[in-house]
Amino acid sequence: MTSKLAALRSWVDQVASQTQPDNIHWCSGSEEEYQEFVQQMLAEGTLTTLNEKTYPDCYLHRSDPNDVARVEHLTFVCTENEEDAGQNNNWMSPADAHAKMDKLFEGCMRGRTMYVIPYCMGPIGSRYSRCGVEITDSPYVVINMKKMTRMGKNALERIEKEGYFVRGLHSTGDLDPDRRFIMHFPDELSIMSFGSGYGGNALLGKKCHALRIASHQARREGWLAEHMLIVGLESPEGAVHYIACAFPSACGKTNLAMLIPPDELHDWKVWTLGDDIAWLHPDETGKLRAINPESGYFGVVPGTNQKTNKNAYDMIMHDTIFTNVAVTEDNEPWWEGKQLGTPVKDWRGRDYDEANGPAAHPNSRFTVSATNNPSYSNLADEPEGVPISAIVFGGRRKHVAPLVYEAKSWEHGVLVGASTASETTAAMVGEVGVIRRDPMAMKPFCGYNFADYWAHWLSFKDRTAHLPKIFHVNWFRQDDEGHFLWPGFGENLRVLQWIIDRCEHRAGAQETALGYLPHPYDLDTIGLDISTQTVETLTSIDLKQCRNEMISLGEYLESYGDRTPGELLRQQHLVLQEIDREIAKA
Ligand code: SAT
Ligand code: MN
């Protein structure tokens, strides 16, 4: 196979002469091809079969122990002007980055096969979708891309028609962390990743293309590429609202996207459109429409069980690639929080020994096709996407942030998004549990200067007539003993119900300096084992703490210098003024 598109053919030729592979394979994306790759990896030992009775067509892959998460410190945005990348990114000049990467890629595929993967992010027939081609020497990447993207023949046809595509070049190299870099060249619409075979570092369609590069395309073309799940909530009356929620990695986006209603709300239905990325476009009627550019989920495994997320639990019992989980005596995959079975081998393949830490890696992942999901929405394939009623920001915060609040306006909502902070998780290399600023949950993924990004967000005020309302949630508030105050998981629907009711102008709220918070009685807590006092705590704010946060937010926004939009600073100032007024009143 090859391509009718000269630009693609010559890029493939050029990469082949640089990297010197033994073979070149153009991926068709067929089921047979997937099976061939699986068989090849089983034979090589880079994949093992799991219990064929209880986990049919499921496989385990163990990544290198030093290659288990995204590496933000080795991820770069390469623009001519350093300011364009912003302090939110590591920067390198395109010339320096090319020189560095060209050396690494020199002959790196000798003895290996080079795979050419044409893919489409979004439904093949959608005007909102964007295409790319990833060249890789990893069959693991190929089988993951098969589940995560619309990959192969149809994508290639679209690329040949359009004549342009994002170029992603990837090699696992020798997995030496000192020779590992993930470079983005937004002006060339290209990505180069060397030295990692793990998830987002290697599946270039995901964070590299659909967020970092797409954020540039979105800015130029007037849309938004966001780190958001998309979920449809159908009320007992049959009305469906679609909401898009931005939380940092490993903060429960997949769980929320596949939420199972609690008994008291059993007549609600939940439809998953996406669990990680949303592309938001204003349409001709002035609504914001969302598509999920991906076609599968690369989700965190630990903590998944029949109680926390039965849909996810069932979904990963067939046709799933597991990465870095443990296994039981029965050769079933095992992870912390599974609540069934005992591990005998840990994620590195060693005999399980508690002294070595968790059996499954905390960032172990499942890769599944979205159609495995019992709550999959057919509209995930709809070229026009779905209209968004509400945008929800959130993070993992022990203190300060209340359970939920609504922004007072779009501009205030942009400030709310920019104010998002969260405790770090195992999804990235580094210390876990440290609070860091993560505006719009895009800290690791916005491919350009945050100040320009906030200006782009603000500009939607003039682009669309019917903007969604903006909210902020925090499921992770704790008491002084470290217990979670809110039960989370399915019960989060109670909060989403309030959000929808606010969009429909039929729920009450109290106006505070931060925004509109529900009164304790505005939330449906019937049947929930939670004290009135806890609900009061969850729906109240500590003015002093908020004041401190607002001041440090102002300093943070100003650290972006002249580029920080004046409107954002004005919003911060308004909130601070309001807090001071309330403090004076109290
Ligand atoms: O970046 S990954 O896709 O590997 C995982 C994540 O951080 O969400
Ligand atoms: Mn993510």
Side-chain angles (χ1 to χ4, degrees):
M1 210 171 119
T2 172
S3 170
K4 291 196 279 246
L5 187 65
L8 176 53
R9 274 198 321 265
S10 71
W11 179 55
V12 170
D13 287 347
Q14 174 234 313
V15 170
S17 75
Q18 180 183 26
T19 60
Q20 299 285 309
D22 284 6
N23 301 298
I24 300 178
H25 177 106
W26 289 70
C27 297
S28 70
S30 72
E31 196 46 42
E32 297 73 46
E33 183 186 65
Y34 176 82
Q35 292 305 338
E36 277 165 30
F37 284 126
V38 166
Q39 291 312 318
Q40 176 197 324
M41 290 181 70
L42 289 173
E44 285 165 357
T46 47
L47 213 57
T48 54
T49 329
L50 290 162
N51 189 315
E52 280 161 32
K53 275 221 186 81
T54 48
Y55 283 84
D57 298 307
C58 289
Y59 305 98
L60 167 66
H61 172 75
R62 293 192 178 107
S63 75
D64 190 279
N66 77 36
D67 184 34
V68 293
R70 271 185 296 103
V71 282
E72 293 180 13
H73 59 297
L74 304 174
T75 301
F76 290 79
V77 167
C78 310
T79 45
E80 285 302 336
N81 178 352
E82 180 168 2
E83 270 286 287
D84 292 336
Q87 65 182 57
N88 45 305
N89 283 298
N90 300 313
W91 175 84
M92 202 180 287
S93 78
D96 287 353
H98 275 300
K100 195 180 213 31
M101 297 309 272
D102 282 348
K103 245 192 247 144
L104 293 172
F105 275 100
E106 201 62 58
C108 72
M109 296 190 190
R110 272 194 203 106
R112 302 183 185 181
T113 297
M114 178 175 113
Y115 306 97
V116 182
I117 313 172
Y119 63 87
C120 179
M121 299 312 288
I124 290 274
S126 171
R127 58 182 167 149
Y128 300 139
S129 301
R130 295 289 180 274
C131 292
V133 176
E134 175 165 358
I135 295 181
T136 178
D137 54 11
S138 160
Y140 171 78
V141 167
V142 179
I143 60 172
N144 275 269
M145 287 292 280
K146 161 82 176 153
K147 294 198 184 290
M148 297 301 297
T149 70
R150 282 116 174 139
M151 174 269 251
K153 214 170 134 281
N154 295 343
L156 182 60
E157 274 165 22
R158 176 165 170 160
I159 290 168
E160 288 171 341
K161 242 185 266 153
E162 283 181 335
Y164 77 96
F165 55 94
V166 170
R167 293 158 196 232
L169 174 54
H170 167 254
S171 170
T172 46
D174 51 10
L175 296 173
D176 176 352
D178 291 332
R179 289 153 49 82
R180 178 176 296 161
F181 296 100
I182 297 129
M183 303 283 189
H184 302 76
F185 303 91
D187 298 327
E188 302 163 20
L189 292 186
S190 85
I191 305 153
M192 289 175 117
S193 165
F194 189 88
S196 167
Y198 167 82
N201 298 338
L203 314 177
L204 302 186
K206 198 174 176 57
K207 310 295 191 182
C208 299
H209 176 164
L211 289 175
R212 297 194 194 98
I213 295 289
S215 65
H216 282 264
Q217 295 179 305
R219 183 181 173 207
R220 263 199 303 272
E221 299 167 9
W223 49 282
L224 292 164
E226 298 300 323
H227 192 206
M228 292 176 176
L229 66 91
I230 312 164
V231 67
L233 303 166
E234 184 175 338
S235 72
E237 296 77 39
V240 190
H241 280 272
Y242 297 95
I243 63 173
C245 311
F247 309 148
S249 301
C251 288
K253 282 201 300 298
T254 306
N255 286 333
L256 188 64
M258 326 181 37
L259 177 147
I260 300 202
D263 288 347
E264 295 79 15
L265 301 178
H266 64 91
D267 39 9
W268 281 72
K269 290 198 187 83
V270 176
W271 303 106
T272 317
L273 279 294
D275 80 327
D276 197 38
I277 301 177
W279 285 356
L280 306 172
H281 282 82
D283 72 6
E284 288 74 16
T285 71
K287 287 206 183 94
L288 210 52
R289 305 192 75 86
I291 63 160
N292 170 14
E294 301 188 283
S295 66
Y297 315 132
F298 183 65
V300 177
V301 186
T304 308
N305 63 50
Q306 305 238 28
K307 253 176 71 198
T308 55
N309 190 342
K310 188 179 179 322
N311 276 343
Y313 189 83
D314 292 347
M315 165 177 86
I316 59 179
M317 288 191 73
H318 63 99
D319 301 281
T320 301
I321 303 165
F322 289 90
T323 303
N324 294 343
V325 294
V327 286
T328 66
E329 200 168 33
D330 299 335
N331 200 28
E332 290 188 348
W334 192 92
W335 52 87
E336 274 66 22
K338 187 180 185 186
Q339 297 185 337
L340 266 180
T342 348
V344 294
K345 296 270 183 224
D346 72 5
W347 64 277
R348 296 178 63 167
R350 300 173 298 198
D351 288 342
Y352 174 59
D353 180 351
E354 234 175 283
N356 287 331
H361 189 278
N363 193 36
S364 51
R365 297 274 172 161
F366 55 73
T367 316
V368 288
S369 163
T371 50
N372 263 31
N373 176 0
S375 61
Y376 175 74
S377 164
N378 284 327
L379 294 180
D381 268 319
E382 164 60 43
E384 288 302 305
V386 293
I388 293 297
S389 305
I391 286 174
V392 183
F393 295 112
R396 191 181 274 275
R397 295 297 301 269
K398 289 191 182 84
H399 308 291
V400 190
L403 181 61
V404 57
Y405 65 95
E406 176 192 332
K408 294 181 181 177
S409 63
W410 179 260
E411 295 91 323
H412 176 226
V414 176
L415 179 78
V416 169
S419 77
T420 305
S422 192
E423 291 150 32
T424 50
T425 66
M428 58 181 276
V429 169
E431 203 184 333
V432 170
V434 195
I435 292 197
R436 70 157 177 180
R437 298 211 163 272
D438 197 349
M440 282 79 173
M442 284 287 277
K443 168 68 188 70
F445 308 123
C446 178
Y448 61 99
N449 193 316
F450 258 152
D452 299 335
Y453 170 75
W454 297 322
H456 183 53
W457 263 86
L458 288 165
S459 76
F460 279 76
K461 185 77 191 159
D462 305 319
R463 287 178 201 268
T464 32
H466 309 290
L467 283 165
K469 277 181 184 282
I470 297 180
F471 296 81
H472 187 280
V473 298
N474 175 24
W475 317 133
F476 301 95
R477 188 88 165 253
Q478 293 181 10
D479 65 14
D480 295 338
E481 273 102 56
H483 303 121
F484 288 110
L485 292 177
W486 179 251
F489 299 103
E491 307 295 351
N492 292 339
L493 182 57
R494 298 170 186 271
V495 176
L496 302 179
Q497 195 185 358
W498 180 78
I499 287 176
I500 288 172
D501 285 344
R502 288 296 294 172
C503 295
E504 291 284 359
H505 309 283
R506 59 183 178 218
Q510 42 181 331
E511 186 170 355
T512 74
L514 275 199
Y516 302 108
L517 267 75
H519 298 102
Y521 54 80
D522 289 322
L523 284 178
D524 177 356
T525 54
I526 294 167
L528 203 56
D529 183 17
I530 190 170
S531 73
T532 328
Q533 202 203 327
T534 303
V535 180
E536 267 166 27
T537 310
L538 286 165
T539 55
S540 61
I541 53 174
D542 178 322
L543 286 170
K544 286 239 170 66
Q545 282 180 348
C546 291
R547 186 170 197 283
N548 291 339
E549 286 250 328
M550 238 352 108
I551 288 173
S552 99
L553 175 62
E555 287 163 3
Y556 172 66
L557 298 177
E558 274 169 8
S559 73
Y560 282 82
D562 293 347
R563 291 204 187 200
T564 306
E567 179 58 35
L568 204 58
L569 293 170
R570 201 178 73 85
Q571 290 296 327
Q572 180 267 353
H573 190 72
L574 284 176
V575 175
L576 196 57
Q577 251 181 356
E578 197 57 40
I579 291 175
D580 283 337
R581 213 172 292 146
E582 284 190 27
I583 288 178
K585 259 199 314 209

